[in-house]
Amino acid sequence: MRSFRTYLALSGAVTLAACGGDTGPQTVGGVAPPAASPTPTHSFVAPTDPKTYDGIGTVQHYGYYTDSNKSGQGGQLYAGDANTARNGGITVNYNPRDAVFELTINRPAGDVSTGVLRYQDPLHRTAFGGPATPQAGVPEFDAARNIQYLEAGSQSGSRVGPGSQFYTYTDPATGQVVTTAANSTLPVMADQSSYNVATLFYQKPGTTTKYVTYAGFVRNTVSGSLQQPDPSQPAFLRQTYSLDRAAFVFGERSANSAVPTTGTGTFNGEMIASMVVNVDPTTRLDATLPSYLQWIQGTQSTSINFANLSVSTHFEGTVMAPGLDAYTNAQYPLAAGTLFDATASAMIDMVNRGGFTGQFSQACFAADCTAANSLVIAGSSLDGTFYGPNADEIGGGFRIVGGTPDQRIDILGAFVGKKP
């Protein structure tokens, strides 16, 4: 098994400032003035000291199985969760001396618990377009976002895939060779075989923001087993999936005293989100369709009135294609390129909540939301805080839970922003 400890180089160069002191005259028997302390060199962009950061964001889990003798998903179990600035459960630890990056997620309400995932092998670094690209379900964002990918995991037994169209096995009841259609980008595992790989990705600090950045997490666990509940019937191959996703921000938070109490500000930046969906909300298709996990990439603009503590945020994004499993049809409900739009508001309470909290008023899969195309929202949250020595930037997480009966729509994301 490969280690899950990850080493990240958030910056290649470290600059040390020179030390200086008072060289003025001294009387006999006098005490020399102390030498000046070295100028601090640590920063989020060019770290020099080990740091542990609390993340704000969201997690989700989707577990189910598929069988080679029929189409569809069985045994479905879904959970999602969004934390707050004070709620914790997501931590990132970076040690620049050894270039070690550790991630810990413990969000029982979202059914995601990782232990300490530690990426330390240089081979854990991967990228799209290289000889070994990130696993299925990891989003390939626009190149300008400067996303760094880290991946590690294990496999036992054998597999065919990812990307294989067929899987062949021998039926133990009949001795016949059975060929099944896979149509899978996720790995297809043979009998008594398993796959468990975790990917951490993040925007390199300094790309768009200096004190906070956003990150995502993908863990795919797949196991294969031959099933034959009826000895008189042929056996079939079952794939069991445990799929975890997370989107969050981490960085150097502002002191409460650094947050302005007068004036206004606009913070523009980027957002990402992971979504589970089983029906096209733009057309209200049959809700018996299987569920898919799809990423959204986009932007956000947040206007803040510090005098009255009000926050208004607008999100715009584009849906990305999902990873596909074995034996589920590939007719996912929201096509890649579908637009996303949402609006939320919040209130600042640094003393009691450590940031701002609020809800969404509208969300839709269209260029603009109207009463006709808006999602029915059963619950929502917007949670964030300020980053940097002068509250220069913001970051946070959000969630939108669909409320239409027999539909599974849950959008969980993270966002960052800075002043122009």
Side-chain angles (χ1 to χ4, degrees), residues 98-345:
D98 300 314
V100 177
F101 202 153
E102 295 179 328
L103 169 69
T104 304
I105 301 176
N106 183 24
R107 299 298 303 175
D111 203 15
V112 178
S113 181
T114 64
V116 178
L117 303 182
R118 187 172 192 241
Y119 301 86
Q120 62 185 23
D121 187 340
L123 190 60
H124 290 165
R125 296 182 180 89
T126 185
F128 285 96
T133 61
Q135 65 175 326
V138 175
E140 183 176 4
F141 293 115
D142 296 337
R145 290 187 174 230
N146 198 5
I147 303 299
Q148 312 293 298
Y149 296 90
L150 299 163
E151 187 168 288
S154 64
Q155 176 182 310
S156 65
S158 60
R159 62 169 170 155
V160 178
S164 298
Q165 298 303 304
F166 299 98
Y167 175 77
T168 300
Y169 66 94
T170 301
D171 184 344
T174 64
Q176 296 179 341
V177 175
V178 179
T179 300
T180 65
N183 296 318
S184 182
T185 56
L186 288 164
V188 183
M189 304 309 299
D191 182 34
Q192 300 184 41
S193 298
S194 63
Y195 169 97
N196 186 341
V197 173
T199 307
L200 170 65
F201 61 87
Y202 67 100
Q203 183 176 67
K204 186 175 181 180
T207 300
T208 60
T209 48
K210 294 173 56 178
Y211 306 105
V212 63
T213 194
Y214 60 86
F217 173 70
V218 172
R219 180 169 61 183
N220 296 325
T221 303
V222 187
S223 62
S225 62
L226 284 178
Q227 305 285 317
Q228 194 176 24
D230 185 347
S232 66
Q233 299 296 319
F236 56 87
L237 182 66
R238 172 167 291 179
Q239 300 290 303
T240 301
Y241 299 90
S242 178
L243 309 178
D244 296 329
R245 303 289 185 265
F248 56 94
V249 302
F250 64 95
E252 298 180 342
R253 298 192 188 185
S254 305
N256 285 6
S257 59
V259 179
T261 56
T262 61
T264 62
T266 300
F267 297 77
N268 297 321
E270 298 177 352
M271 74 88 166
I272 61 171
S274 178
M275 165 184 64
V276 65
V277 58
N278 75 324
V279 61
D280 185 344
T282 65
T283 60
R284 306 298 195 267
L285 292 177
D286 183 359
T288 61
L289 291 172
S291 296
Y292 296 87
L293 292 170
Q294 295 180 254
W295 286 92
I296 302 172
Q297 67 172 349
T299 60
Q300 69 83 28
S301 180
T302 297
S303 298
I304 298 179
N305 186 320
F306 292 101
N308 64 19
L309 306 177
S310 65
V311 178
S312 177
T313 303
H314 182 233
F315 295 91
E316 295 180 351
T318 304
V319 176
M320 307 174 78
L324 300 176
D325 62 46
Y327 318 126
T328 298
N329 67 63
Q331 299 176 0
Y332 46 92
L334 285 177
T338 299
L339 299 179
F340 170 73
D341 187 272
T343 301
S345 60

